[in-house]
Amino acid sequence: MGKRLVSNSSSASVVRTPVAVYAPDPISREGALSQLRRHPEIELREESETGPGTVALLISDSLDEPELTRLRRVVRSEGARAVLVVGALRETELLDVIECGVGAIVWRHEASELRLVQAVLAAARGDGDLPADLLGRLINQVGTLHRNAAGRPGAPASGLSAREVDVLRLVAEGLDTGEIASKLSYSERTVKNVMHGLTTRLHLRNRAHAVAHALREGYI
């Protein structure tokens, strides 16, 4: 499974991203489906059809343990990328969500049609897409964890290179691949290779997870 190329009436090719929607009730599910099906770049799938290359869009008012378990299963066991649409998220849950493998988070009250599509496509690319207030909370939370752990014997070393740190610092500031390349005078391919190399080497799931890891280790 994965992205597909389809031809439209003008013979142009559209890259389609498979998306499965999980929702707590039929109204929420149908609302998300109706927003997504208007976009030719989205290919809707059933919940049973998630897997590598698929984006799982999970909708919830709050994140309880069953929802977190579902996130872990969809991302870790089935290999899908995840977008979480949530009404509220406690401080203690934020890092769990990122480390679970969620690449994009959307507040329910901000879940417009364009916002959902933006988050889905960002997750499909492996990019992070967090609301600005959540990014700030993530930085503060991980910074606190790092300060509390400072000086502990046996603290792990993440082994990030200076170039990887430079890229991750800009990712944490919300810049996309093109903007990072421009800032650092790299090609976009170089930026993508840097991100791919560090996420593969350190077994990180996406950009958001890489930023959380770098923050936890005190690199940024």
Side-chain angles (χ1 to χ4, degrees), residues 38-107:
R38 301 187 185 113
H39 293 262
E41 65 270 38
I42 302 297
E43 178 184 345
L44 294 173
R45 297 280 184 86
E46 296 298 324
E47 293 182 18
S48 60
E49 297 179 306
T50 55
T54 304
V55 175
L57 179 71
L58 297 100
I59 303 171
S60 180
D61 287 323
S62 59
L63 193 70
D64 54 18
E65 190 56 37
E67 289 297 324
L68 194 58
T69 299
R70 174 182 285 183
L71 278 173
R72 292 192 182 102
R73 174 178 58 79
V74 167
V75 177
R76 297 179 182 179
S77 300
E78 300 177 10
R81 299 185 184 275
V83 174
L84 176 63
V85 181
V86 67
L89 202 58
R90 294 191 296 268
E91 295 287 343
T92 54
E93 298 166 337
L94 179 55
L95 199 58
D96 286 338
V97 168
I98 298 300
E99 293 188 333
C100 181
V102 174
I105 300 174
V106 178
W107 292 125

Side-chain angles (χ1 to χ4, degrees), residues 163 177-178 181 186-197 207:
R163 182 165 68 171
T177 299
Y186 294 159
S187 68
E188 291 192 22
R189 179 180 293 276
T190 296
V191 174
K192 291 177 181 178
N193 287 342
V194 169
M195 288 302 306
H196 177 74
R207 289 190 176 198

Side-chain angles (χ1 to χ4, degrees), residues 2-217:
K3 296 180 181 178
R4 296 184 178 181
L5 289 176
V6 297
S7 297
N8 60 23
S9 57
S10 62
S11 300
S13 293
V14 176
V15 178
R16 303 192 71 189
T17 298
V19 178
V21 176
Y22 298 77
D25 59 81
I27 293 177
S28 296
R29 175 177 165 79
E30 185 53 42
L33 290 173
S34 67
Q35 289 180 316
L36 294 174
R37 67 167 55 100
R38 301 187 185 113
H39 293 262
E41 65 270 38
I42 302 297
E43 178 184 345
L44 294 173
R45 297 280 184 86
E46 296 298 324
E47 293 182 18
S48 60
E49 297 179 306
T50 55
T54 304
V55 175
L57 179 71
L58 297 100
I59 303 171
S60 180
D61 287 323
S62 59
L63 193 70
D64 54 18
E65 190 56 37
E67 289 297 324
L68 194 58
T69 299
R70 174 182 285 183
L71 278 173
R72 292 192 182 102
R73 174 178 58 79
V74 167
V75 177
R76 297 179 182 179
S77 300
E78 300 177 10
R81 299 185 184 275
V83 174
L84 176 63
V85 181
V86 67
L89 202 58
R90 294 191 296 268
E91 295 287 343
T92 54
E93 298 166 337
L94 179 55
L95 199 58
D96 286 338
V97 168
I98 298 300
E99 293 188 333
C100 181
V102 174
I105 300 174
V106 178
W107 292 125
R108 285 198 70 160
H109 68 273
E110 296 178 351
S112 65
E113 179 178 331
L114 292 180
R115 185 69 187 88
L116 284 182
V117 173
Q118 174 189 341
V120 164
L121 297 182
R125 295 191 303 268
D127 293 345
D129 188 351
L130 303 182
D133 59 326
L134 272 188
L135 184 57
R137 285 164 57 186
L138 176 63
I139 291 172
N140 290 335
Q141 184 179 357
V142 180
T144 299
L145 288 173
H146 176 68
R147 286 191 297 273
N148 291 342
R152 278 187 198 164
S158 58
L160 297 179
S161 70
R163 182 165 68 171
E164 289 170 338
V165 172
D166 287 341
V167 170
L168 282 175
R169 185 174 291 112
L170 295 177
V171 170
E173 293 176 5
L175 276 64
D176 62 24
T177 299
E179 291 168 331
I180 293 170
S182 177
K183 282 269 190 182
L184 298 178
S185 298
Y186 294 159
S187 68
E188 291 192 22
R189 179 180 293 276
T190 296
V191 174
K192 291 177 181 178
N193 287 342
V194 169
M195 288 302 306
H196 177 74
L198 75 90
T199 53
T200 300
R201 187 178 77 253
L202 300 176
H203 307 291
L204 304 170
R205 297 177 189 88
N206 49 50
R207 289 190 176 198
H209 193 191
V211 169
H213 179 85
L215 285 163
R216 185 191 290 277
E217 297 298 325

